[in-house]
Amino acid sequence: MTTIGILGTGAYVPDRVVSNDEAGAAAGVDDAWISGKTAIRERRWAAPEQATSDLATAAGREALRSAGITAGQLSAIVVATSTPDRPQPATAAYVQHRLGAAGAAAFDVNAVCSGSVFALCAAEGVLARSGGHALVIGADLYSRILNPADRRTVVLFGDGAGALVLGPTARGPRVRHIALHTFGELAGLIEVPAGGSRLPCDRSALAAGLQYFAMDGREVRRFVMDQLPQLTKQFLHEAGVVPDDISHFVPHQANGVMLDAVAADLPLPRARTHRTLTHYGNTGAASIPITLDAAARAGAFRAGELILLAGFGGGMSAGFALVEWR
């Protein structure tokens, strides 16, 4: 039986490697402080001439190459990002043009660090109705919106993009179940205050530093610790699997120390947790597809194994996907 599955994966990170000492210099923190609180050792930051669409296009090309299809075969391109090239048009439009995917509908999804799972769900829905192939990309370029003096944020984030190609398959990895959640009452925990219709990025906003990414780290951690374990249990029940069935866990790469803490409460006794944050930091919506691509290219997955993808971030939002590797 033919189902919609994952035909290929790809990723791209910028060339520039930024050490903890460099990232934390303006904020007055060093490698020992950063690695002790985050388990991040380095990250990649984009070159001045690069934008989010450049990263997304490079990752998309890799995923198309992995899938063995051309851009002309795409029906849809969905880009998950909270750092678009511009407020409008959609970053996906630039990606569509640069890939030469003239026949593909292209649009963006913004669920911040959960974005790639939300985009996966959206793309699967498009294919269920129209058929064909879809390119799902998570891409973020956070280095442009970080306050270099804010040690709560500047040390966490890196730039990058990860991509998946979805399409009809009888034997490839398939997405068995997806669940999405939004907790809008907590939207203020993660935000860029200025630059939208609520607060334009005028001189007063710039003087107050409201163009920068802001996060209440303590409350975000509380959200993750409180919600992720119970939402994971709920998801597994809805998907009709038991915890022992999960062989691999690919979470959003937020903070390594936090992931260690929450892992003790997760109902995943046999799952191997995959990480890329040590070298790439928190790459926002890109972190799950980058990590999935790294594990797939390393040969970590075997036929019949179940992989749990879990995103969590601004909104506040959470997204889960169950993938069966075949």
Side-chain angles (χ1 to χ4, degrees):
M1 182 178 65
T2 300
T3 60
I4 296 172
I6 298 173
L7 306 184
T9 65
Y12 172 82
V13 292
D15 293 334
R16 181 187 172 194
V17 178
V18 178
S19 69
N20 280 344
D21 286 329
E22 181 180 354
V29 292
D30 60 12
D31 175 69
W33 189 92
I34 297 168
S35 60
K37 289 187 176 294
T38 70
I40 296 168
R41 293 287 184 181
E42 60 189 24
R43 74 284 294 140
R44 303 294 183 93
W45 284 355
E49 68 275 10
Q50 288 182 306
T52 297
S53 64
D54 299 311
L55 279 57
T57 300
R61 286 197 180 104
E62 288 299 314
L64 290 170
R65 187 176 297 114
S66 171
I69 70 167
T70 67
Q73 293 174 261
L74 293 173
S75 301
I77 299 171
V78 187
V79 174
T81 185
S82 54
T83 58
D85 283 24
R86 297 181 173 92
Q88 58 176 283
T91 298
Y94 298 118
V95 176
Q96 183 233 43
H97 175 64
R98 289 169 187 166
L99 288 176
F107 59 95
D108 290 358
V109 169
N110 182 359
V112 196
C113 296
S114 300
S116 58
V117 180
F118 278 64
L120 179 64
C121 185
E124 190 180 45
V126 171
L127 294 190
R129 179 175 292 272
S130 64
H133 298 82
L135 179 61
V136 177
I137 305 173
D140 271 312
L141 204 160
Y142 267 89
S143 62
R144 300 281 162 74
I145 61 170
L146 297 175
N147 182 346
D150 183 3
R151 67 180 187 179
R152 298 168 298 179
T153 58
V154 71
V155 302
L156 290 172
F157 291 91
D159 303 332
L164 310 171
V165 173
L166 300 183
T169 178
R171 302 180 60 183
R174 67 186 181 105
V175 181
R176 284 183 38 173
H177 190 62
I178 297 177
L180 309 176
H181 306 272
T182 302
F183 301 83
E185 70 277 12
L186 301 175
L189 297 185
I190 296 176
E191 62 181 3
V192 177
S197 60
R198 179 68 64 187
L199 180 62
C201 204
D202 56 19
R203 290 184 179 181
S204 61
L206 290 172
L210 299 180
Q211 77 277 22
Y212 290 127
F213 176 88
M215 178 173 67
D216 186 335
R218 181 172 297 178
E219 290 303 313
V220 169
R221 181 186 177 95
R222 180 176 298 172
F223 168 83
V224 174
M225 297 298 294
D226 289 347
Q227 294 293 336
L228 194 61
Q230 67 181 29
L231 290 176
T232 301
K233 293 175 185 177
Q234 176 184 325
F235 176 78
L236 296 179
H237 177 74
E238 293 172 353
V241 298
V242 298
D244 281 348
D245 291 336
I246 306 300
S247 297
H248 301 274
F249 181 47
V250 181
H252 166 51
Q253 307 289 296
N255 176 316
V257 173
M258 184 175 69
L259 287 180
D260 286 339
V262 77
D265 293 329
L266 286 177
L268 302 172
R270 296 181 58 249
R272 173 185 172 187
T273 299
H274 295 270
R275 300 189 183 192
T276 53
L277 62 84
T278 302
H279 298 293
Y280 298 152
N282 179 342
T283 52
S287 74
I288 288 177
I290 283 176
T291 306
L292 184 68
D293 176 69
R297 291 178 186 272
F301 308 138
R302 297 183 180 181
E305 291 184 326
L306 294 181
I307 306 161
L308 176 63
L309 313 182
F312 47 89
M316 294 292 288
S317 62
F320 299 86
L322 183 67
V323 175
E324 179 182 355
W325 205 257
R326 298 191 293 175

